[in-house]
Amino acid sequence: MIKKVVTIQDISCFGKCSLTAALPIISAMGIETAVIPTAVLSTHTGGFTGYTFRDLTNDIPDISAHWKKLGLRFDALYTGYLGSKEQIKIVSDFFDDFGSADNFIVVDPAMADGGRLYAGFNNDFVSEMTKLCGKADFIIPNMTEASFILGIPYTEEYDESYVRDVLFKLSKLGCRTPVLTGIHYDNQRQGAAAYDSKTGEYFFAFNKNISRTVHGTGDIFASVFTGAVTLGKSIREALEISVSFTVDCIVETLPFIDEMWYGTCFEPCLGKLIDYIK
Ligand code: PXL
């Protein structure tokens, strides 16, 4: 039976992030992908100005009620960028309705990067997102998001023991497996790390470091990771596939970076992703 994921995040109509990344990527992995759009924006908020924002919070309970009547079930529930703290509460109810012992929940607390919260977010939003993280099986923050969640200072200078400590503290929120993205100890390598609090194991996956920030890579990583775990890959395998694919996408983008400042050229790499999951 084909696996089914539901992903809950915004549609930025132009800009290749959130749903316009998650939908093609998870579909390419051979997984049926249902969506709940949380908001419609003309573009994402990372570098554009004057974008429109239509909040769809009130639609979510109706979609959920209809799906409950239909008896829909999903192998994974995966959330990304959420538009407001009210919306996080409603998504939390959705987890109560659709989460079960046979599926898993992934929360990517997409709210900050480079030491700063994205436009429109504040500390109240962070505390609500932190609660949502406690309900997840996997959370996928970058170091900025992890620092906001844990209330610790953001730093770009850290070592492996710091990463282990951050992962351990994140697991204490109640989520079984925190995953930290964008880990780098030097300029040579960059990657991701995970902690399975059930077994006490730590996992690391590194690839070459490319010191250009490319927009939307967090969404690409989280989508691939969610898809890989849905397909039954181990944490180690899912981490390696996600790191490799994210680096492929960054490498593909670099020659066009002046025009592509707003997004990542993931489309030409989808064939490689299909190979990685074979
Ligand atoms: O890529 C994360 C993201 C998702 N959705 C919106 C965003 C961002 C990051 O800037 O602005 C609307």
Side-chain angles (χ1 to χ4, degrees):
M1 184 62 181
I2 187 169
K3 298 280 185 186
K4 271 198 197 90
V5 168
V6 55
T7 181
I8 308 178
Q9 39 190 325
D10 72 283
I11 291 195
S12 290
C13 299
F14 184 82
K16 304 210 278 185
C17 66
S18 37
L19 280 186
T20 60
L23 186 51
I25 287 171
I26 301 172
S27 300
M29 297 174 86
I31 299 166
E32 181 176 338
T33 312
V35 301
I36 299 188
T38 55
V40 180
L41 292 83
S42 51
T43 65
H44 63 66
T45 67
F48 292 102
T49 52
Y51 45 83
T52 67
F53 186 104
R54 180 169 305 277
D55 182 41
L56 298 178
T57 304
N58 293 336
D59 291 47
I60 303 174
D62 295 345
I63 294 171
S64 170
H66 183 210
W67 286 6
K68 264 206 266 182
K69 268 199 211 136
L70 294 173
L72 299 190
R73 307 183 71 80
F74 300 96
D75 298 292
L77 319 179
Y78 157 41
T79 69
Y81 180 101
L82 301 174
S84 64
K85 66 182 204 306
E86 293 71 27
Q87 195 167 79
I88 299 177
K89 290 201 182 105
I90 288 173
V91 167
S92 176
D93 294 341
F94 184 89
F95 287 171
D96 294 340
D97 288 337
F98 287 88
S100 75
D102 324 325
N103 65 14
F104 64 93
I105 295 175
V106 180
V107 171
D108 175 4
M111 59 183 177
D113 205 0
R116 300 180 49 186
L117 288 173
Y118 294 149
F121 293 150
N122 57 24
N123 288 339
D124 284 354
F125 183 89
V126 172
S127 24
E128 212 54 52
M129 185 59 95
T130 303
K131 281 192 230 156
L132 193 71
C133 286
K135 285 192 155 184
D137 297 286
F138 297 89
I139 60 170
I140 314 187
N142 57 37
M143 196 53 104
T144 303
E145 289 154 349
S147 305
F148 275 105
I149 287 169
L150 296 176
I152 56 174
Y154 170 69
T155 171
E156 295 192 358
E157 309 255 309
Y158 49 79
D159 57 10
E160 186 181 314
S161 77
Y162 183 83
V163 169
R164 285 173 184 258
D165 187 48
V166 167
L167 285 167
F168 183 77
K169 287 185 173 134
L170 288 169
S171 75
K172 293 294 161 200
L173 300 172
C175 93
R176 170 171 170 176
T177 305
V179 179
L180 259 180
T181 61
I183 301 298
H184 52 93
Y185 309 131
D186 52 39
N187 289 331
Q188 305 301 311
R189 296 185 316 150
Q190 181 161 183
Y195 171 59
D196 184 345
S197 60
K198 201 152 175 193
T199 64
E201 275 177 290
Y202 287 88
F203 304 93
F204 296 86
F206 284 98
N207 205 306
K208 62 185 164 209
N209 183 56
I210 301 165
S211 51
R212 278 298 296 251
T213 309
V214 184
H215 194 275
T217 50
D219 299 349
I220 290 170
F221 184 100
S223 300
V224 173
F225 189 88
T226 303
V229 176
T230 304
L231 293 174
K233 303 289 180 198
S234 67
I235 297 172
R236 180 185 300 287
E237 290 167 325
L239 209 58
E240 278 168 4
I241 293 168
S242 310
V243 168
S244 300
F245 184 69
T246 306
V247 170
D248 292 342
C249 294
I250 296 171
V251 168
E252 191 71 29
T253 309
L254 286 181
F256 313 104
I257 193 71
D258 290 340
E259 303 133 80
M260 288 302 308
W261 60 270
Y262 60 85
T264 307
C265 289
F266 67 83
E267 300 89 341
C269 302
L270 289 171
K272 275 194 186 168
L273 177 59
I274 293 167
D275 289 340
Y276 289 153
I277 59 172
K278 274 186 188 146

